[in-house]
Amino acid sequence: AIAANLMGNMPELMLAYTSYIESIVPWLEINAKHLFGARGIVLPSRSTTHGFNNALNPNFAGGMWVGGAGWAAHFFYDYYLYTGDREFLAQHVLPFMEKAVAFFEDYLYEGPDGKWVFSPTQSPENTPGNSDSQASFNATMDVAVAKELLHNTIAASRELGRNGDKIPLWEQMLAKMPEYMIDDNGIIKEWLTPRLENRDSHRHSSQLYPLFDGMPEEIARSPELRAAFRKSIEYKLDKHWKNNQRGFMSFGLVQLGQAATSLGEGELAYHCLKHLVNRFWLNNLASMHNHRSLFNMDISGGMPAVIIKMLAASEPGRIQLLPALPRAWPAGTIEGVLCRGQIEIRSLQWSPGKVLVSLKTARKQRITLDLPWDITHFAANKGDALVERGNSKNCLVVTLPAEQEVTLEIRTESRS
């Protein structure tokens, strides 16, 4: 529901979310202490005017899920990356992340192989293939959340010059994290242990969390992991969407679309998008959880996020243009996309062999601009940008002036 707020250039909307999460922190601390005997915070799978972790019944082990606060921390930290608001980083982001990390400091314990054990965990609403218990251990999602949380907390601490005594501990924690695993079918394992088997027929795709909004270095440097994540997406699409005219669940489909865009898989993302566009809206544009039934907000932010990520992806110092462009969109325009690093894409136009992009940044900075094709010619048609070739044929290095719109015309090799 909030996936498109930042990239869709509506950062002010995120403050309603972060202030709500902060308002229930006292309950989250009680969850950590009384359910897990730990410091820090545990954000439950459901919260209302309170944040008590009470989603426990014989058929649902939501109380065992420990990734919630770390997932929320992603959006806290991303608000800073998109806006550059250092005051928010110091007063809201880092304090919240420190509480989330403190939980993992107490909760994790070392297994026989020297790696951390996450127990109990839950891969939301799913059970392993060889177990009927949703309460499990080493759920891939919870491990991925903890990895991201630690990386971001270290980065924020260094940015603010804080936690010098804690950073070595957090780096040691990262070094002992379980590695992502691939099962015998070439699919990412949903539990990072040989003792628990996948149940890939499930409608959720929580094990794809590492690719919900970006590409961690651990996956970027591994062709085998990227292939396994792709195969996971393909399997889910084939299982739930092939020849299925009624559709299934918008939440899971958004997850598949987000992961596909992070991999640069435009055709897979477009497959997801076609279902999202055609299956989950009423005529009054009310958004649905199932095919034309059960009101739900997941697709309201999720579908725009998939579209935007197909056309622009960013991290501080780098923007990828058209990273998951499908064949169905040979030409088009998108406007008003916000990028990490306080950069707005005022306009992005593309057609075969040509890209025209207008950028504006709040501060002078040097960025890498990547395209999916080799660049044959480039020019700055507007603004005082310095544009140079990068270290590969498909990228440019651009020095952007502060508060000045810059327009670049880029010619590329024709798309095959």
Side-chain angles (χ1 to χ4, degrees):
I2 62 174
N5 284 4
L6 290 167
M7 64 184 74
N9 209 355
M10 302 177 289
E12 66 279 5
L13 299 184
M14 287 303 301
L15 298 179
Y17 174 77
T18 57
S19 62
Y20 164 69
I21 295 295
E22 288 177 316
S23 76
I24 60 173
V25 162
W27 287 281
L28 310 189
E29 292 174 327
I30 291 172
N31 295 336
K33 179 179 178 180
H34 288 272
L35 285 176
F36 297 93
R39 297 168 300 139
I41 53 178
V42 171
L43 176 64
S45 58
R46 286 124 172 88
S47 60
T48 56
T49 53
H50 66 77
F52 282 132
N53 192 5
N54 58 7
L56 289 165
N57 66 47
N59 299 312
F60 182 71
M64 302 296 104
W65 183 58
V66 298
W71 194 358
H74 165 88
F75 294 99
F76 276 71
Y77 186 59
D78 236 14
Y79 179 86
Y80 162 70
L81 293 182
Y82 276 92
T83 67
D85 188 337
R86 285 178 60 86
E87 182 178 351
F88 186 83
L89 178 69
Q91 296 183 7
H92 299 275
V93 179
L94 188 55
F96 185 81
M97 292 198 300
E98 288 169 342
K99 291 179 185 293
V101 169
F103 168 76
F104 285 108
E105 290 177 12
D106 292 354
Y107 158 82
L108 297 174
Y109 65 91
E110 190 174 307
D113 61 355
K115 298 290 186 179
W116 296 122
V117 176
F118 287 66
S119 180
T121 56
Q122 184 214 31
S123 194
E125 300 185 21
N126 201 7
T127 61
N130 57 338
S131 170
D132 61 359
S133 174
Q134 288 188 21
S136 56
F137 73 100
N138 278 17
T140 300
M141 180 183 193
D142 288 343
V143 176
V145 165
K147 289 179 179 182
E148 178 189 56
L149 173 65
L150 284 164
H151 278 294
N152 290 347
T153 307
I154 291 170
S157 297
R158 286 177 170 154
E159 177 68 23
L160 295 171
R162 297 184 184 175
N163 293 318
D165 58 331
K166 299 286 289 187
I167 289 175
L169 169 63
W170 296 336
E171 290 176 330
Q172 291 170 14
M173 290 175 66
L174 277 170
K176 294 168 64 174
M177 286 289 166
E179 297 177 351
Y180 298 120
M181 297 175 65
I182 302 171
D183 73 3
D184 292 339
N185 297 315
I187 290 175
I188 288 295
K189 281 186 62 63
E190 193 164 350
W191 292 269
L192 300 181
T193 169
R195 295 173 59 185
L196 298 177
E197 299 172 3
N198 273 19
R199 192 185 300 274
D200 292 303
S201 59
H202 194 265
R203 63 185 187 170
H204 282 201
S205 301
S206 301
Q207 66 272 35
L208 303 184
Y209 177 88
L211 299 180
F212 281 1
D213 196 8
M215 174 74 72
E217 179 61 29
E218 181 179 0
I219 299 170
R221 64 173 182 258
S222 171
E224 294 79 14
L225 283 177
R226 294 198 304 277
F229 275 103
R230 176 194 164 99
K231 191 168 183 178
S232 298
I233 298 168
E234 292 173 329
Y235 180 90
K236 293 279 187 176
L237 288 173
D238 185 70
K239 181 71 178 179
H240 293 303
W241 301 97
K242 187 177 181 181
N243 300 321
N244 182 347
Q245 294 305 306
R246 283 191 55 79
F248 196 63
M249 178 190 67
S250 61
F251 178 82
L253 195 55
V254 166
Q255 292 177 332
L256 295 176
Q258 288 177 307
T261 59
S262 293
L263 288 170
E265 296 288 348
E267 301 311 316
L268 290 179
Y270 188 67
H271 187 152
C272 296
L273 184 62
K274 286 192 297 183
H275 290 294
L276 290 171
V277 168
N278 292 305
R279 303 287 181 229
F280 300 100
W281 302 92
L282 300 186
N283 292 340
N284 63 358
L285 294 185
S287 53
M288 300 290 111
H289 182 278
N290 299 327
H291 176 65
R292 299 183 65 80
S293 68
L294 188 60
F295 176 73
N296 177 272
M297 294 293 290
D298 294 329
I299 191 176
S300 299
M303 192 182 85
V306 173
I307 294 172
I308 293 170
K309 284 187 61 183
M310 293 168 75
L311 303 178
S314 65
E315 58 189 66
R318 182 188 183 205
I319 296 175
Q320 295 173 274
L321 300 179
L322 311 173
L325 187 69
R327 289 187 294 271
W329 296 348
T333 302
I334 189 171
E335 298 178 346
V337 174
L338 188 61
C339 299
R340 294 179 176 98
Q342 301 172 263
I343 301 173
E344 181 187 357
I345 299 177
R346 304 294 292 270
S347 176
L348 171 62
Q349 302 175 47
W350 71 95
S351 57
K354 182 179 178 181
V355 174
L356 195 66
V357 59
S358 294
L359 306 170
K360 187 175 181 180
T361 176
R363 58 186 176 85
K364 182 179 180 179
Q365 59 180 301
R366 191 168 184 257
I367 66 166
T368 299
L369 200 64
D370 290 338
L371 275 78
W373 316 290
D374 288 351
I375 297 169
T376 59
H377 174 78
F378 58 90
N381 293 346
K382 178 182 178 181
D384 297 326
L386 173 63
V387 188
E388 306 167 280
R389 282 204 175 272
N391 56 13
S392 63
K393 294 181 179 180
N394 69 322
C395 79
L396 299 173
V397 176
V398 184
T399 302
L400 296 169
E403 299 294 349
Q404 183 183 136
E405 185 171 341
V406 168
T407 300
L408 306 178
E409 180 178 333
I410 305 170
R411 299 284 179 171
T412 68
E413 290 187 350
S414 297
R415 183 173 182 176
S416 59

